[in-house]
Amino acid sequence: MKIWVVIPAYNEVLSLESLLNRLGDKNLSILVIDDGSIDATYKVAKAKADVAIKNEKNLGKGLALNKAISYLFDHQEFDYLIFMDADGQHSPEDIDKFFEEAEKGSSFVIGNRMVEPLGMPYNRVVTNKFMSWLISKIIGQQVPDSQCGFRMIKRQVLEKIAIKTKKFEIESEILIKAAKLGFDIKSMPIKTIYFKNPHSKIRPFRDAIRFITFIAKVDK
């Protein structure tokens, strides 16, 4: 079974290097897509990942992931992709749980931090619960943490999805489209790793408005 880890990164040089070092023991193929960083993120990615791709300017998470997925379709054989964020909030130790689900043949597995969201800011908890409730209603499946970027998706699922969103809405878009195609979404408890980041690219209110706008436009 061939599994690639896909990591979008934007000005995450320190956390990315730590993450790649920890992933080194897992014997996985890794692709890092640097979305226009101005620090040494791409240099670290080239040194430690199997494939490093760089956007010349910041395009957004959706476009970056779409580019990475397209590259792997064109250049590599794989059975599953595991998506992780580069900011250190996903634990490589949880990857073994995804492996177990892949062995069972699961098509779509998403991490769930909401069992014990220790350290997650209150506004993030509230926003995430609202978004997850709405997504669950739309797809007819219970997804407690729909905004979690730590997820594993089978090749056959991704082959049938045309990604259109440019930014963080990609997390919701893929869930909705996969569910509409009849794929089961399995949620799996993972560690909650949260810390103050003055440069965080997450803005709960702004992202909630964008999310609601996306939901209003998403294909029915």
Side-chain angles (χ1 to χ4, degrees):
M1 186 180 302
K2 183 64 174 178
I3 300 176
W4 276 77
V5 176
V6 177
I7 304 172
Y10 176 56
N11 293 337
E12 298 285 4
V13 59
L14 296 179
S15 55
L16 176 64
E17 184 167 20
S18 175
L19 174 60
L20 293 177
N21 286 337
R22 294 169 68 192
L23 285 172
D25 297 332
K26 299 293 182 181
N27 193 30
L28 287 163
S29 299
I30 301 171
L31 181 151
V32 175
I33 173 82
D34 176 0
D35 193 21
S37 298
I38 58 174
D39 63 5
T41 292
Y42 184 61
K43 181 179 179 180
V44 169
K46 283 185 65 177
K48 295 183 176 291
D50 295 278
V51 174
I53 302 171
K54 182 174 177 63
N55 292 331
E56 292 307 314
K57 62 180 181 179
N58 182 251
L59 300 177
K61 189 175 185 180
L63 289 176
L65 285 181
N66 202 4
K67 185 174 183 177
I69 293 168
S70 296
Y71 174 90
L72 291 174
F73 274 137
D74 291 341
H75 297 91
Q76 301 292 337
E77 292 295 327
F78 65 90
D79 300 294
Y80 287 91
L81 297 185
I82 293 178
F83 299 90
M84 300 181 73
D85 292 341
D87 59 6
Q89 293 186 8
H90 298 154
S91 172
E93 285 68 38
D94 281 325
I95 280 187
D96 290 339
K97 299 178 184 178
F98 287 100
F99 291 164
E100 293 172 5
E101 292 301 325
E103 292 293 339
K104 297 176 184 176
S106 297
S107 297
F108 197 133
V109 183
I110 183 170
N112 176 15
R113 301 161 295 175
M114 305 309 289
V115 177
E116 291 186 83
L118 301 175
M120 184 180 291
Y122 179 74
N123 60 348
R124 289 299 303 164
V125 173
V126 172
T127 302
N128 200 10
K129 285 186 175 181
F130 167 72
M131 291 179 174
S132 299
W133 170 82
L134 185 54
I135 289 290
S136 297
K137 289 290 186 182
I138 290 171
I139 69 175
Q141 298 187 49
Q142 185 62 32
V143 182
D145 192 1
S146 66
Q147 303 310 296
C148 183
F150 198 1
R151 47 181 69 185
M152 179 182 73
I153 308 176
K154 204 169 188 175
R155 182 188 183 107
Q156 286 84 343
V157 179
L158 293 167
E159 286 175 336
K160 296 180 179 181
I161 294 175
I163 298 172
K164 296 181 180 179
T165 49
K166 298 179 179 181
K167 298 185 181 294
F168 287 98
E169 305 97 308
I170 187 173
E171 320 285 16
S172 302
E173 180 187 14
I174 291 177
L175 274 173
I176 292 172
K177 290 183 175 179
K180 286 187 174 183
L181 288 167
F183 293 104
D184 290 331
I185 312 298
K186 180 178 177 60
S187 292
M188 182 181 67
I190 60 171
K191 296 177 183 176
T192 302
I193 305 172
Y194 232 96
F195 39 81
K196 292 182 179 179
N197 181 359
H199 305 295
S200 174
K201 294 171 281 295
I202 301 294
R203 298 290 184 269
F205 180 76
R206 179 200 63 188
D207 292 339
I209 295 299
R210 183 185 293 136
F211 170 81
I212 292 169
T213 302
F214 158 73
I215 292 297
K217 292 180 179 179
V218 71
D219 293 338
K220 301 300 181 183

